[in-house]
Amino acid sequence: MTMITPRPLIAGNWKMNGLAASLDEARAVSASIDEHPAGARVAICPPSTLVHRMVDLLGGSCVAVGGQDCRAEESGAFTGDISAEMLADAGATLVILGHSERRAGYGETDALVAAKVEAAIRAGLEPIVCVGETLAEREAGKTLEIVTGQVRGSLPQTLAKRDFAVAYEPVWAIGTGLTPTIEQIEEVHLAIRAVLRDEFGDWGAAIPILYGGSVKPSNAAEILEAREVGGALVGGASLKAADFLTIIEAA
């Protein structure tokens, strides 16, 4: 079975930003896309406190709402955590997993990320699985080794024939204003594609590979035109509707 090449995915990761007033930005994004349909799929992943309210606000819109992380377990004594089932119950349809801020700040391993992916599948969520190297790893010439290892270790075989995305986010480019060259982006995305084909066959040939790391209106078009770039995972620029819409229009 060969999957039809999907539309690009532009996902906004609000991280630990956003209060009730911030919903106006999501409303503006939704209104603009509903009036002028985008060529890409669009998602916003707000903090968990806003997931349900954003779903209610955007009900019927083509803008999907996602979570930023989930626990591998379905429920239990895990104070402060949120399960995939809770996100789905709040109306989310996607979830970001394995972001470098989780891997570095909370010690998340590939095995833990894979367990969270299993949880997302269990709850019917579409996972966006993040991978990426640090500056030290790039300078040591280990970029492809690190990234392809994360892809293999973080994607369980149960993803076969299911919707998911991989997001390449070089750690040294996140929130720094720095971006790799187009050649560097293409090199990594081509390597990720090779792993996806090897692991999932024809299905892996069409899984979207997003780029993330200081994506902004001024560089989005060039990045999104690069080989094997199937969308973007956008951080700070997704907090303002005008900036996010410019990136969406570039896809």
Side-chain angles (χ1 to χ4, degrees), residues 42-159:
V42 178
I44 298 175
C45 300
S48 57
T49 54
L50 293 180
V51 169
H52 189 266
R53 280 181 281 182
M54 189 175 289
V55 169
D56 281 349
L57 178 71
L58 303 184
S61 166
C62 60
V63 177
V65 179
Q68 297 178 15
D69 182 48
C70 72
R71 183 89 188 183
E73 291 82 2
E74 184 174 352
S75 61
F78 306 109
T79 301
D81 285 351
I82 188 167
S83 69
E85 283 77 9
M86 289 173 177
L87 288 173
D89 185 58
T93 57
L94 308 94
V95 61
I96 298 168
L97 298 171
H99 193 281
S100 65
E101 292 160 1
R102 301 290 312 180
R103 291 179 186 264
Y106 298 87
E108 293 195 1
T109 62
D110 293 341
L112 178 56
V113 175
K116 291 185 175 189
V117 172
E118 296 275 17
I121 294 170
R122 184 183 68 220
L125 299 176
E126 177 181 345
I128 300 173
V129 185
C130 301
V131 297
E133 84 284 7
T134 64
L135 183 58
E137 289 164 344
R138 173 164 283 278
E139 291 178 340
K142 295 182 177 180
T143 294
L144 297 186
E145 174 189 344
I146 294 296
V147 172
T148 57
Q150 288 177 340
V151 173
R152 291 189 188 278
S154 303
L155 302 180
Q157 280 299 311
T158 45
L159 281 172

